[in-house]
Amino acid sequence: MIDPVGVSGNFFALNRAPAANLGIGVISGITRQGSYLDIAFTRLQWRPDFLRIVRGSVRRCFSQLHSRFRPFLILLSLASASCSTTWPEYERPPLDLPAVPAEPAKPLSIDRQWWKAFEDPALNALVDEALLHNWDLAKAAANVAEAKAAVATAKSLLSPRVDGVINAGSSQRQLTLGKSEKEFDDVVSTGAIGAAVSWEIDLWDRIRQMNDAALARFAATEHARNATTLSISTLVADTWFQLRILDAKLVVTRAAAANLKSVTELEFRRWKAEVGTELAYIQSLAEFKATEARVPVIEEAVSQTELALKLLVGRSPRAIGEPVPRPSLQKRQGEDLPEGSMPTVPQTPREVDSILLLRRPDVASAELLLVAAHADVNSARAEFYPRLTLSLLAGFVASTSSAISGMPLFWEASAGLIGPIFDGGLVQSKVDSAEARQQKALAHYQYTVSLAFREVYQSLVQMDAGDRQFKSIQEELTVRKRSIVLAEKSYDAGRTSKFEVLSETVKALNSALLLADARFNQLSARSQYYKALGGGF
């Protein structure tokens, strides 16, 4: 900023043209104290030759700057080159990864749109909708925008800063030194307009390290957004699988309840006709009511799953209450489950690829945060070294003092070197804090890598267990159906009671419901496997 009553007179490039020719003000006087000039300015009256005079003054100013400061600039360049330092480069920490085969097979690859492997058009549409409207993805995108702005902030520190300066003031001094008797005790007004340039020379790469840290965090937020995309698509897939399995359970349970209702009505007629017994009727009625009671529970689960799915895909509050459109399921004769429009269980490899896992979005994000923490440590250590700042102030000044005519150009240039001598341990505490954050980032990275491998092995176990479970329950259900047929024949022959038939019917229903759960485990294990491998990112 310009002091209105104390601008360094050593840097004035005064143009002694008369005020009438310039036409830029009325000069009332000037007060000189040592090397300082007190300048006053009252009003501006533009003249056609004003711009020509200004351009000439600016050319003379920069010519003087170039000639006077050429040795200083050369010295500054040499100092910058000699003071530059090399900070430790980031190195990936050692990881105890599984051994790579001597002759590795074809690299494992995952399609970015892995959910299409389930061959379900409704699922494809829901995932596409979620990737457009999910609120967590919107927040992740905002985090990326925030990190991008932080990069621009850090980058701006590498460039000079230019500020506009406008200053005005008045002074009155009861001194005869440098004043005529007429100007004694007069009020002198001063005005100045110009620009101030400041620039910190990054001798020790402190600002550069800050910029590298911001860039690493920006890249980390992009990977975090990809990780959120992967999590959302997996959640949508698993929720959709759960909804379709609940639909299948509802179809099976309603069919079983309808069958038991017809059996109960038949036993009631047999009892009234004195062909059957009241016990057979009561047993049938109890099993029918027990099965019927399962329907509202499943219907509630369907509604809750629908609500969760609609929130995942980003439906508006108005659309939250609307049902999720989906193909209806019909259980055909001989089917264990209504397979008509159910998602297909894809064939997936049983492999663990270390290189693919290290590219997982969450793993890549964690490593980039470690890179940023490493740059933060270098930046904090650079604060032990002095900082070099260049400043330039230039502009035009006008005054009511008679000592200044027109609007002369002034400039002031300076260079400052400042470094810590005693700060009570402030810089060291910053270094310690940065190193602690680096250790925290290292632990987070190593944990994320371990978590990635655990999720892959876990999904492999789930796929194997789900496939074997589905096969076993399917075989059990086949046996249950055969048992129902034999129990009905035995009942018709009078060798067993109706309770035996009802018992086998309920057991077959329970097996069918377990088979539906096993199908969900198969589908979910595969979606988790795709997620564990990084989902193609």
Side-chain angles (χ1 to χ4, degrees):
M1 300 298 291
I2 301 175
D3 186 354
V5 296
V7 182
S8 179
N10 294 333
F11 298 105
F12 271 73
L14 297 178
N15 189 324
R16 295 296 183 180
N21 292 336
L22 285 175
I24 57 171
V26 176
I27 298 179
S28 60
I30 183 168
T31 302
R32 179 181 296 275
Q33 294 186 15
S35 62
Y36 291 93
L37 296 175
D38 293 335
I39 308 164
F41 172 71
T42 56
R43 60 189 178 89
L44 288 175
Q45 295 178 353
W46 299 102
R47 293 290 186 269
D49 56 349
F50 174 68
L51 291 179
R52 177 179 57 80
I53 297 173
V54 169
R55 284 196 296 267
S57 299
V58 171
R59 282 196 297 268
R60 286 192 298 273
C61 175
F62 279 96
S63 176
Q64 293 174 13
L65 280 175
H66 185 267
S67 60
R68 295 183 184 183
F69 287 92
R70 181 183 298 173
F72 170 74
L73 295 175
I74 295 174
L75 181 62
L76 177 62
S77 300
L78 294 175
S80 299
S82 63
C83 292
S84 61
T85 185
T86 302
W87 296 103
E89 296 290 337
Y90 168 78
E91 294 182 1
R92 176 179 287 177
L95 299 170
D96 188 16
L97 302 179
V100 179
E103 296 182 359
K106 182 180 178 181
L108 183 63
S109 62
I110 301 297
D111 187 357
R112 185 71 64 89
Q113 295 181 324
W114 53 266
W115 52 87
K116 291 186 176 180
F118 295 95
E119 300 178 357
D120 190 335
L123 172 61
N124 299 340
L126 286 170
V127 173
D128 292 341
E129 184 180 359
L131 296 183
L132 288 175
H133 304 295
N134 181 267
W135 300 116
D136 289 327
L137 284 176
K139 290 187 287 185
N143 291 336
V144 172
E146 180 182 5
K148 186 176 181 180
V151 171
T153 301
K155 187 178 180 180
S156 67
L157 298 177
L158 293 170
S159 304
R161 173 169 177 168
V162 181
D163 295 308
V165 178
I166 299 178
N167 215 335
S170 299
S171 65
Q172 182 182 32
R173 301 189 181 183
Q174 296 182 350
L175 296 174
T176 59
L177 180 63
K179 287 188 176 183
S180 63
E181 184 177 349
K182 180 180 179 181
E183 293 178 337
F184 180 76
D185 206 23
D186 282 351
V187 176
V188 179
S189 299
T190 304
I193 183 170
V197 181
S198 60
W199 188 14
E200 179 181 345
I201 306 301
D202 194 19
L203 295 178
W204 316 104
D205 281 345
R206 182 185 68 89
I207 300 177
R208 183 71 63 183
Q209 292 292 330
M210 294 170 60
N211 191 53
D212 291 345
L215 285 171
R217 289 191 173 90
F218 171 54
T221 56
E222 288 189 322
H223 284 293
R225 177 174 59 181
N226 292 338
T228 304
T229 299
L230 180 57
S231 296
I232 294 301
S233 58
T234 305
L235 278 173
V236 170
D238 284 349
T239 307
W240 173 252
F241 298 152
Q242 183 68 45
L243 181 60
R244 298 308 281 164
I245 292 302
L246 288 172
D247 288 339
K249 283 185 173 184
L250 191 58
V251 170
V252 170
T253 304
R254 283 174 174 172
N259 180 48
L260 288 173
K261 182 179 180 180
S262 62
V263 170
T264 301
E265 291 173 350
L266 176 62
E267 290 301 320
F268 179 76
R269 291 194 297 269
R270 287 168 58 88
W271 170 46
K272 291 302 181 181
E274 297 182 354
V275 177
T277 62
E278 183 181 3
L279 177 61
Y281 163 68
I282 293 299
Q283 288 174 336
S284 300
L285 181 62
E287 294 298 342
F288 163 63
K289 292 299 182 181
T291 304
E292 189 180 42
R294 296 185 181 189
V295 173
V297 177
I298 299 176
E299 290 175 340
E300 180 187 4
V302 168
S303 299
Q304 296 288 354
T305 307
E306 278 188 305
L307 290 173
L309 185 59
K310 284 180 281 191
L311 184 62
L312 280 173
V313 300
R315 296 282 173 86
S316 65
R318 178 187 58 79
I320 285 289
E322 301 174 357
V324 176
R326 56 190 183 276
S328 60
L329 296 176
Q330 298 294 332
K331 187 174 183 298
R332 293 189 291 267
Q333 187 68 27
E335 282 186 340
D336 296 331
L337 288 175
E339 300 280 359
S341 57
M342 292 286 288
T344 303
V345 178
Q347 294 295 325
T348 53
R350 262 68 169 179
E351 299 179 29
V352 178
D353 191 328
S354 300
I355 298 178
L356 194 63
L357 284 180
L358 292 180
R359 295 207 314 263
R360 263 179 45 149
D362 57 339
V363 175
S365 177
E367 184 174 14
L368 284 167
L369 290 176
L370 180 58
V371 173
H374 176 82
D376 286 340
V377 172
N378 291 340
S379 177
R381 288 173 178 167
E383 294 195 23
F384 282 113
Y385 300 96
R387 301 183 190 180
L388 176 62
T389 304
L390 304 181
S391 300
L392 174 64
L393 179 64
F396 299 94
V397 66
S399 175
T400 58
S401 174
S402 60
I404 296 180
S405 62
M407 182 178 268
L409 177 69
F410 73 94
W411 57 266
E412 179 178 354
S414 64
L417 193 65
I418 183 171
I421 296 177
F422 176 76
D423 59 4
L426 176 62
V427 175
Q428 185 60 49
S429 66
K430 290 182 179 180
V431 173
D432 294 342
S433 178
E435 290 177 345
R437 291 194 300 271
Q438 184 183 28
Q439 292 301 314
K440 179 181 177 181
L442 174 61
H444 175 65
Y445 172 63
Q446 292 174 331
Y447 168 77
T448 306
V449 173
S450 299
L451 181 65
F453 278 88
R454 191 211 73 174
E455 289 179 353
V456 171
Y457 288 119
Q458 180 175 299
S459 61
L460 290 174
V461 170
Q462 289 175 341
M463 281 195 294
D464 181 65
D467 292 345
R468 289 189 288 111
Q469 181 190 30
F470 185 83
K471 183 179 178 181
S472 298
I473 296 176
Q474 196 172 36
E475 293 173 351
E476 177 195 355
L477 186 55
T478 301
V479 175
R480 293 291 182 193
K481 290 178 179 180
R482 178 60 180 167
S483 178
I484 291 174
V485 173
L486 295 177
E488 287 178 344
K489 288 182 179 180
S490 179
Y491 173 71
D492 292 338
R495 291 191 297 270
T496 58
S497 65
K498 190 64 178 178
F499 178 76
E500 299 294 336
V501 178
L502 295 173
S503 178
E504 292 301 324
T505 301
V506 172
K507 289 178 181 179
L509 172 61
N510 292 334
S511 297
L513 297 179
L514 289 175
L515 187 66
D517 290 333
R519 174 65 80 192
F520 171 76
N521 292 338
Q522 282 185 304
L523 296 169
S524 178
R526 280 155 177 81
S527 70
Q528 293 298 323
Y529 178 71
Y530 289 130
K531 177 188 175 185
L533 289 179
F537 284 99

